Amino acid sequence: DGRLDISDVNAESMNKFDVFKDYNVDDVVEVLFPKDGHMYPGTVRKVNGDGTFQVRWDDSDEGFEETLVKARDMRYPPIPLDKLEV
């Protein structure tokens, strides 16, 4: 019918998450590529004062080698089981 389906949301039902922001130069990270929504490997090249990071892509298919990235669009890659230490 073209009308929006609207409902109330209470704060208790919302999920809160913390964004890690303490990346350092030369950290190996995975970065969200906005065109396809997938994470790809890269390396932090610069930590900017505004909470963003300059990241060099490991594989620059799109022609650009570095991108300005927000912390929420980055993560450390998973640790392989054979490298996991307890």
Side-chain angles (χ1 to χ4, degrees), residues 4 17 27-28 36 40 51-52 57 64 68-69 71 81-82 86:
L4 294 176
F17 64 94
D27 281 355
V28 174
D36 65 11
Y40 293 99
T52 61
W57 297 94
F64 50 86
L68 188 66
V69 180
L81 276 177
D82 62 334
V86 181

Side-chain angles (χ1 to χ4, degrees), residues 6-34:
I6 299 173
S7 61
D8 291 332
V9 177
N10 60 23
E12 294 80 31
S13 67
M14 299 175 96
N15 293 327
K16 178 185 173 191
F17 64 94
D18 294 319
V19 175
F20 182 79
K21 298 178 184 176
D22 293 330
Y23 297 101
N24 297 298
V25 171
D26 294 329
D27 281 355
V28 174
V29 294
E30 292 182 344
V31 184
L32 181 67
F33 188 64

